Amino acid sequence: MHAPSLPDRTIDAYADVTRSDRLERLRSLADTLADSRILHVNSTATGGGVAELLRSIIPLCNDLGVDTDWLVMDADDEFFEVTKAMHNALQGSGPPLTEEMKATYRTVNEENAIELEDEAEYDLVVIHDPQPLGMLDHLEAAMPTTAIVWRCHIDLTDPSSEYLAFVSEYTARVDHAIFSRSGYVGDTAVPETSIVYPSIDPITEKNRALDAETVATERNRLDPLSFEDPLVTQVSRFDPWKDQFGTLEAYRRASADVPDLQLALVGGMAGDDPEGLELYEQVAEEAAADPNVHVLTDLPDSGVNVLQRESDVVVQKSLREGFGLVVSEALWKRTPVVGSNVGGIPLQIVDGETGYLVGPDDAAAAGERVVDLLEDDDRRAKFGRNAREHVRERFLLPRQLVELLDVLADELD
Ligand code: UPG
């Protein structure tokens, strides 16, 4: 296990974007937890939504006086191939689950859990996603008084029953499980559950307002992409559920009406996702023939910020999506989003008000909605204003933190 380095955060920095009663509630919950030691465990320090959330939540909890650590599992590709299969199968399709895969999963989890024995005693451990759940086998014996909360970030609308049964062997033994939507609990064996929507952090380099000089620098760096011509962007890990091929199809449909349209497909590789490189290569190959399609990897957060801010429309054509931080990231920057009506996306896109929802298999409809928005500057501006307010109230970090600390305080009561 290793501890990622973290930025500084102070709760005062959120005063401008948070109702005062919410801030007071946060401080009072933090007081309740002041004598507790809390640990969050996940499987990657970089890339992807879970790392994005923890990078803000952990320092903010500490600023509030709640002693909170974050440790990331150490594992090799063999383990991550098993857990990526698990992730895919829990979202809807994956290979058969073999005894060998289960053995790899258990061994790596045990090795990581043993390392925890040398760490200080925790009152509560939050396990993020299925990868570290197997640590329970060891933790139950080594830390018998520690409360365990499972935080599930994935879309469990239609999971493979074989994998769900395997994961349920563990989830049945945690004290509490948190899901991102009520529809995800389904047949998962869990003692008690809460629903907490994820959130974006408005003060990070990715989401904060940028001065004109930074915008100009990032725009130059993105050359030959032009900000003078219409631009559609999707920001996603290279993962089959993000459906970059569907986004390409939607772009082609839209280009028939808007010939100078450009598409930016921005993606990164998460440390726990061995599929990413292969998918990136397939997407890049398919995009290579069209000079108006730009497949961009490893952009700095300020570059992602500029693209989400300066694109005319953002697309999120996922086939499954636990929540989809990228949707709120774009909406917060007043950019309307055309997204699939799956998982957490419809919580964020109010159809006809902050963007448009389309069926996950309907790339043509996505393309048509992009055209509708590109052809109407006033509608884009109006949706952008609505989008900012929608996210301000519902999907910023202080709201999520209140709900998370509420669950943790209950468990430690
Ligand atoms: N990102 C980058 N650069 C890239 C690609 C992605 O910075 O090139 C960031 C992106 O800005 C966002 C994060 O990575 O902050 C991706 O988060 P998200 O859109 O939420 O997707 P996942 O990585 O798939 O995150 C998982 C779930 C998702 C959920 C999230 C938190 O799949 O649905 O919102 O966990 O619960």
Side-chain angles (χ1 to χ4, degrees):
M1 306 275 272
H2 59 279
S5 61
L6 289 166
D8 288 332
R9 282 281 177 284
T10 62
I11 189 63
D12 298 338
Y14 298 82
D16 287 350
V17 289
T18 316
R19 294 191 326 240
S20 56
D21 61 321
R22 203 166 257 170
L23 282 179
E24 273 164 37
R25 176 85 184 122
L26 204 44
R27 289 205 169 91
S28 123
L29 279 164
D31 285 347
T32 325
L33 290 164
D35 295 327
S36 307
R37 290 211 63 204
I38 293 168
L39 170 68
H40 291 254
V41 179
N42 83 321
S43 61
T44 181
T46 54
V50 180
E52 181 82 15
L53 290 176
L54 291 175
R55 191 161 297 284
S56 293
I57 287 175
I58 307 299
L60 201 49
C61 283
N62 283 299
D63 180 67
L64 282 160
V66 185
D67 189 344
T68 307
D69 291 339
W70 173 18
L71 290 174
V72 175
M73 297 179 80
D74 292 322
D76 56 13
D77 275 358
E78 191 188 347
F79 175 80
F80 288 134
E81 268 155 31
V82 171
T83 55
K84 190 65 204 285
M86 191 178 270
H87 172 92
N88 286 343
L90 288 170
Q91 294 216 127
S93 75
L97 178 60
T98 64
E99 288 308 314
E100 196 184 342
M101 290 163 79
K102 291 181 188 173
T104 301
Y105 178 79
R106 290 190 180 114
T107 304
V108 173
N109 264 293
E110 186 179 10
E111 285 163 8
N112 277 274
I114 286 170
E115 282 181 45
L116 264 191
E117 278 175 25
D118 303 332
E119 304 284 334
E121 189 72 33
Y122 290 101
D123 299 294
L124 190 148
V125 177
V126 185
I127 292 177
H128 291 263
D129 273 344
Q131 295 92 331
L133 256 181
M135 289 174 65
L136 257 188
D137 284 334
H138 193 81
L139 293 186
E140 278 171 334
M143 297 183 179
T145 58
T146 303
I148 308 276
V149 171
W150 184 49
R151 201 323 172 195
C152 175
H153 294 273
I154 59 187
D155 181 339
L156 284 178
T157 307
D158 185 22
S160 132
S161 51
E162 183 186 25
Y163 280 83
L164 192 64
F166 179 67
V167 165
S168 286
E169 286 173 24
Y170 294 100
T171 58
R173 286 143 53 196
V174 303
D175 295 288
H176 194 103
I178 304 175
F179 295 86
S180 296
R181 284 205 75 164
S182 54
Y184 297 163
V185 183
D187 295 330
T188 319
V190 272
E192 335 176 316
T193 58
S194 302
I195 307 303
V196 176
Y197 300 150
S199 61
I200 62 164
D201 183 343
I203 68 164
T204 57
E205 191 65 12
K206 183 173 294 161
N207 294 321
R208 69 181 178 85
L210 295 175
D211 56 51
E213 198 186 325
T214 310
V215 173
T217 308
E218 291 302 335
R219 282 171 68 140
N220 285 339
R221 224 204 298 242
L222 289 162
D223 183 71
L225 199 134
S226 157
F227 289 88
E228 310 312 320
D229 293 326
L231 172 62
V232 171
T233 294
Q234 174 165 316
V235 179
S236 295
R237 286 181 299 105
F238 288 100
D239 171 303
W241 301 107
K242 308 294 184 182
D243 196 21
Q244 276 95 349
F245 291 107
T247 311
L248 276 163
E249 208 180 317
Y251 152 80
R252 286 190 204 109
R253 165 66 192 82
S255 301
D257 288 0
V258 186
D260 53 356
L261 182 62
Q262 307 161 93
L263 172 67
L265 286 173
V266 181
M269 316 294 163
D272 58 353
D273 184 355
E275 265 183 338
L277 186 58
E278 199 183 322
L279 194 59
Y280 159 72
E281 285 168 355
Q282 290 166 6
V283 171
E285 193 183 328
E286 171 135 350
D290 186 338
N292 281 349
V293 179
H294 303 264
V295 182
L296 306 166
T297 56
D298 301 320
L299 288 189
D301 282 353
S302 50
V304 174
N305 186 335
V306 165
L307 269 173
Q308 290 171 327
R309 188 176 292 283
E310 304 275 301
S311 293
D312 298 291
V313 179
V314 158
V315 170
Q316 192 58 38
K317 233 216 102 317
S318 307
L319 304 172
R320 295 280 192 282
E321 194 63 80
F323 179 72
L325 296 178
V326 283
V327 175
S328 276
E329 288 170 2
L331 296 175
W332 179 240
K333 298 171 185 108
R334 301 186 176 86
T335 305
V337 182
V338 174
S340 307
N341 194 2
V342 298
I345 295 177
L347 299 169
Q348 303 171 76
I349 298 180
V350 184
D351 193 42
E353 284 180 35
T354 66
Y356 289 114
L357 289 168
V358 296
D361 299 322
D362 203 347
E368 281 154 26
R369 286 314 201 178
V370 166
V371 174
D372 289 345
L373 284 165
L374 290 175
E375 286 177 343
D376 190 339
D377 294 352
D378 290 344
R379 198 185 320 178
R380 279 205 316 283
K382 184 175 136 210
F383 281 21
R385 287 191 298 275
N386 294 342
R388 175 88 173 181
E389 292 318 306
H390 188 67
V391 173
R392 186 194 304 278
E393 179 54 28
R394 294 167 186 81
F395 303 123
L396 296 185
L397 181 58
R399 191 271 313 147
Q400 186 192 191
L401 205 49
V402 166
E403 294 174 13
L404 174 67
L405 295 188
D406 227 340
V407 172
L408 305 192
D410 262 5
E411 286 310 307
L412 288 168
D413 199 9

